[in-house]
Amino acid sequence: CHVTDYRLCHHQHACSSTQKPRDGGTFGGSIISTIILQKFMPLLLPRRRAPTWLAVVAVFCIRVSPSVYISPSSTCSVGCGSLVSPYGSIASALDANPNGQTFFLLPGRYTGPHNSNLTLQNGGYTLSLAPGVTGSSRAIIDCELQRPGFVLRTGPHTIRNVTMERCRRISPDNGAATGPHGGCLQISNAFTVLEGVNLTNCEADGDGGAIWMRSNSAEIRDTVVVSSSAGQRGGGLFIAAAYSSVEGSSEFRDNSAADGGSSIYAGDRNPADGATVEVIEPSVVPKGPPGTQCEANRGQVLLKSVRGGETLDNLCENEGGDEDDDDDDDCFSGSTIVSLSDGSAKAMRDVRVGDEVQVGVSSFSKVVFLPHRRRRKMGTNNGTTSSSFLELRTESGQHLHVTKRHLIRATTTQHCGDSYNVAAGRFPLVYAENVRVGMCLLSVATKELAGDKVTSIRTVRGSGQHTIVTESGDGLIVANGFVVSSFAVNHRIVNAWYHIHRASFHLFPSYVMELDLVVMVNENIGRVARGLAKLFL
């Protein structure tokens, strides 16, 4: 930021490179401004505007502070904050940096009164796991059920890749808190980003067992909120007069609240306290009370598509408004991905008759019928409904959302990559509800048939009632990389029935196969057939 050039000699001491920047920062901004002044400013500003240049110069004179490191095992007392000599607690770092800073937490367990019951305000703070940390190492802020977590005010603030656990707010606890709300995080008037955060076993006597938000906006991304409780509303999250998105692989589960919204409660009683939460697939939030609850005419929790952002469901609506899950045995969630012959991919909800989808390692087949197309059009919120699915997650990181009686190829072998099991067809079609952790699903994700071991199974909500039937006579498709049946209950009989549709596809234009009348007749026949199959097969 040396300004002796370009006719500013009389102002050269305003920001010379021999000056120490404000608050002991670095000269990153000075270097940048030197480049801009030398290359671009003569072209942009006339000579007589020199005083105006100084405003620009002043901007680049603002300090660029180095990041601050913290470690729970550090004993540093003087000259702390570097990677070599980190602060020993979050409180000591805050005291030395009262106006915002980036704090890198080295792995370890942060306990005691100097690592919780703290307030972040008067500037933007970032609290993040230190860069370069690999594996399962985490920075864990453990309040030991003796103290609350943090109060966040006047941000913006970011918390990234940090675990907070056993934080409990039973009273305001410090001068900045607003009532006994938000066991782990109490946020107000501060744009906040939570990314890769785990909040577990948080408690509050009031609202928001884990998170309490008011008068702010937030992004909750790849964050898990579990086993938290509120003495009033919103065991996982209470939000009023605010907006928040829930994105990525975020998840709210196993939370509780005495007065409703065990996972999320949106809105409060006053007209100005409305709130909106947008849950973007594939994030998982319980459907309807008591899991998700909204103040009447004051709050909404909406399930949104990751593609296009269309509203798929109102998660505050009661389960009773959903379609009967038992009638939808042969369903995938609408977000299930199928690959097309041109190399692109589509969510199953967007597939149309005539699309050529993957049915094997390198084979594709045209879609001849969409059994639940009419339900898409009749359902709530832009033609979709919410249903219950089993989520099967595997070692490769893939997952499949499927109804419990749907048929998928799986085997009990513990050697998922055993080529003999694949070649010998030892992946029979089984009900999804009979799959157990440790079993293997048949996958083509590696461009060849292979087993992929199931690592977790749970029940989730999602946009549902989707399946597709192709020209392929074996009735199999590839969904999210797994080889599955298009059908449920009895693959052989149902697949035989759809030979009629395969023949009709070649006799009539594709739009005929999508007519509501055709789909309705097929649905009614299908209900009868499923009922008979359940009774006699």
Side-chain angles (χ1 to χ4, degrees):
C1 196
H2 196 84
V3 293
T4 55
D5 294 329
Y6 303 113
R7 301 163 299 277
L8 284 178
C9 295
H10 58 295
H11 296 296
Q12 62 180 318
H13 298 296
C15 184
S16 73
S17 59
T18 58
Q19 277 187 292
K20 181 181 179 181
R22 181 169 52 90
D23 295 332
T26 64
F27 288 92
S30 300
I31 295 172
I32 294 172
S33 59
T34 299
I35 296 172
I36 291 178
L37 285 171
Q38 291 178 345
K39 299 295 183 182
F40 300 107
M41 295 301 277
L43 302 177
L44 298 177
L45 295 175
R47 188 174 300 186
R48 65 178 179 275
R49 296 291 297 277
T52 306
W53 293 21
L54 291 181
V56 179
V57 172
V59 171
F60 290 96
C61 292
I62 297 173
R63 72 181 176 95
V64 181
S65 300
S67 298
V68 170
Y69 287 84
I70 308 171
S71 171
S73 60
S74 174
T75 58
C76 179
S77 58
V78 178
C80 308
S82 68
L83 179 59
V84 176
S85 300
Y87 286 102
S89 70
I90 299 172
S92 59
L94 276 173
D95 289 343
N97 299 271
N99 297 310
Q101 184 55 275
T102 295
F103 294 148
F104 286 138
L105 303 184
L106 294 168
R109 187 171 290 272
Y110 292 74
T111 59
H114 297 295
N115 288 306
S116 55
N117 195 16
L118 301 172
T119 299
L120 279 62
Q121 61 182 354
N122 300 328
Y125 285 94
T126 294
L127 202 63
S128 173
L129 180 67
V133 176
T134 59
S136 59
S137 299
R138 298 281 293 187
I140 302 172
I141 299 171
D142 184 358
C143 303
E144 307 167 288
L145 289 178
Q146 298 178 25
R147 295 166 298 278
F150 301 137
V151 171
L152 275 57
R153 293 275 183 87
T154 58
H157 303 298
T158 298
I159 301 179
R160 180 179 295 117
N161 298 330
V162 171
T163 293
M164 297 182 68
E165 62 182 35
R166 302 196 298 169
C167 297
R168 185 182 186 191
R169 193 179 296 279
I170 57 176
S171 66
D173 294 303
N174 64 38
T178 304
H181 310 304
C184 275
L185 297 170
Q186 185 181 114
I187 307 169
S188 61
N189 300 300
F191 173 73
T192 301
V193 175
L194 304 180
E195 182 176 4
V197 177
N198 290 342
L199 303 177
T200 180
N201 293 305
C202 305
E203 299 180 14
D205 281 1
D207 298 320
I211 308 169
W212 182 90
M213 290 186 188
R214 183 178 288 274
S215 303
N216 66 280
S217 61
E219 294 178 8
I220 300 175
R221 188 181 309 123
D222 299 324
T223 290
V224 178
V225 181
V226 297
S227 303
S228 296
S229 61
Q232 296 177 6
R233 300 164 294 178
L237 166 66
F238 175 86
I239 179 170
Y243 164 86
S244 179
S245 62
V246 178
E247 309 174 25
S249 56
S250 296
E251 179 181 3
F252 285 71
R253 58 177 168 83
D254 302 327
N255 302 296
S256 61
D259 297 334
S262 60
S263 279
I264 296 178
Y265 196 100
D268 210 342
R269 297 175 180 87
N270 296 322
D273 290 337
T276 296
V277 178
E278 293 187 346
V279 180
I280 301 171
E281 290 186 321
S283 292
V284 177
V285 168
K287 160 71 175 177
T292 300
Q293 196 163 333
C294 294
E295 189 76 20
N297 302 316
R298 298 284 186 270
Q300 56 182 353
V301 181
L302 305 175
L303 180 65
K304 293 276 189 173
S305 166
V306 70
R307 296 185 179 183
E310 68 267 25
T311 299
L312 304 176
D313 202 357
N314 182 352
L315 297 180
C316 286
E317 291 181 350
N318 196 289
E319 298 276 11
D322 295 334
E323 300 262 354
D324 181 6
D325 288 337
D326 290 337
D327 191 42
D328 302 320
D329 291 318
D330 53 341
C331 289
F332 301 92
S333 73
S335 59
T336 300
I337 299 298
V338 294
S339 297
L340 304 184
S341 57
D342 62 3
S344 62
K346 269 189 179 183
M348 197 169 287
R349 72 168 68 89
D350 299 323
V351 172
R352 298 296 302 272
V353 170
D355 286 344
E356 199 165 357
V357 303
Q358 187 177 16
V359 296
V361 175
S362 58
S363 56
F364 297 82
S365 182
K366 287 185 177 179
V367 175
V368 301
F369 197 67
L370 301 170
H372 301 313
R373 176 173 170 76
R374 193 175 70 95
R375 294 186 198 174
R376 300 186 198 187
K377 295 170 66 177
M378 293 174 63
T380 61
N381 296 312
N382 295 329
T384 60
T385 56
S386 177
S387 297
S388 177
F389 297 94
L390 290 178
E391 179 188 79
L392 309 177
R393 285 195 175 270
T394 61
E395 281 186 331
S396 68
Q398 296 290 102
H399 73 276
L400 183 67
H401 288 176
V402 63
T403 46
K404 61 185 180 180
R405 299 277 285 178
H406 202 98
L407 292 162
I408 59 181
R409 287 209 178 277
T411 182
T412 57
T413 180
Q414 297 299 304
H415 302 287
C416 288
D418 192 327
S419 59
Y420 170 75
N421 289 320
V422 175
R426 294 189 176 184
F427 283 81
L429 287 170
V430 300
Y431 292 141
E433 65 182 353
N434 291 336
V435 174
R436 297 291 182 266
V437 171
M439 295 175 66
C440 303
L441 306 185
L442 187 60
S443 168
V444 299
T446 59
K447 307 304 181 184
E448 62 181 5
L449 288 174
D452 197 355
K453 185 173 291 186
V454 177
T455 57
S456 68
I457 302 173
R458 64 190 178 113
T459 300
V460 299
R461 303 294 304 185
S463 60
Q465 303 169 0
H466 301 267
T467 192
I468 57 180
V469 180
T470 72
E471 278 187 301
S472 177
D474 63 8
L476 300 176
I477 59 173
V478 174
N480 274 18
F482 299 104
V483 180
V484 297
S485 170
S486 290
F487 316 114
V489 183
N490 186 289
H491 177 83
R492 181 173 57 86
I493 292 178
V494 180
N495 187 49
W497 159 253
Y498 279 101
H499 286 327
I500 299 173
H501 302 70
R502 294 180 178 108
S504 299
F505 175 75
H506 293 283
L507 295 175
F508 303 103
S510 60
Y511 73 85
V512 173
M513 306 302 293
E514 295 184 334
L515 291 175
D516 286 349
L517 178 62
V518 175
V519 178
M520 181 179 65
V521 170
N522 183 76
E523 284 181 349
N524 291 329
I525 294 174
R527 288 191 183 97
V528 174
R530 278 195 296 268
L532 293 174
K534 290 177 181 178
L535 286 175
F536 300 110
L537 299 177

